[in-house]
Amino acid sequence: MLLRILSILFPLFAIAALGYAVGRRMKPDLSTANQLNLAVFVPALVFGAMAGKDFRVQDHLPLLLATLALIAGTGVVGWLVARALGLEPKTLVPPMMFNNCGNLGLPLAVLAFGQEALAPAIAMFVVSNALQFSFGIWLLDHQARLRTMWASPSILAAIAGLAVGMGGMALWPPLLTAIRMVGDVSIPLMLFALGARLADSHIQSVGFGVFGAVLRPVTGMAIAWAVAWGMDLAPREQGLLLVFGALPPCGDQLHPRRTLPAGTREGGLDGADRQPRSPGVPAHRTGADAAIAAADRATKSADAQACAALPLEGPGEMS
């Protein structure tokens, strides 16, 4: 059993360790690679999985509903704990709801359950992303426009893939192979970026970070078990839901600077679109560019930026 767990986790730690070593020695700037991952590689991964003949969304509806219930349940727990501790809910609710289901969740699902588990794991990833780009942004700014969600490359790729799959359209096999090859770049790049960013980060407020890093997986596994039992999911779907529930939050979302007094607005908002935007993004950027920038700020840790279980401070952090 221990050897099985080690064999599942070793590739993840090995790639992250390689990224850490390269980050320490070469100090690479991965911002462009992360942007490419958001805009090209991850969408290709999503589209390639959902446009295939072997993916039927109706077969995974119970798992997707269970994923929604799990995300909602962890959010409720985060809200209750934040209130009990006197914290602003936006400090704890986002990392409780939106975990590291990209660079950790997808490879874990494949290594634990086989290649056939990739498509349902990606569907769960898309559900989490859709909530991040809608409710997650609204939670930070109640006046934010939800059109940001529809400009997310991953969401657009999911919609296109579902349209192809459910419409019975058959893509030219060499084209689908090329798309999937591009998508295969995303997961190892996520893990490599995780290690590289850890090499250039500084750990602060260990106590608060450990609290959030432990609370999220413990709560997630408990709710996942209850939901899986209540919905009588199939064994593989139960396993996928438990893995999803056990994933840690992203370190940027546990940063102590996000512990704001009640009623304090989150900074860094674009006054024109009322959308969160990354530092350095010109205020005049609108439409898809501004939406992608807002999505990058709200969810960069889960999609393309490397995440950690402890609060980190380094280049590209959320403020």
Side-chain angles (χ1 to χ4, degrees), residues 188-205:
L189 179 56
M190 290 178 185
L191 292 170
F192 184 87
L194 166 61
R197 183 156 186 262
L198 284 174
D200 197 29
S201 300
H202 306 285
I203 298 176
Q204 296 182 340
S205 286

Side-chain angles (χ1 to χ4, degrees), residues 213-254:
V214 172
L215 179 64
R216 174 57 182 83
V218 170
T219 302
M221 285 189 292
I223 295 177
W225 180 86
V227 171
W229 178 81
M231 296 185 65
D232 193 25
L233 297 177
R236 190 185 71 178
E237 293 181 332
Q238 291 182 16
L240 286 170
L241 193 65
L242 286 171
V243 168
F244 187 91
L247 294 171
C250 291
D252 283 341
Q253 293 178 335
L254 288 176

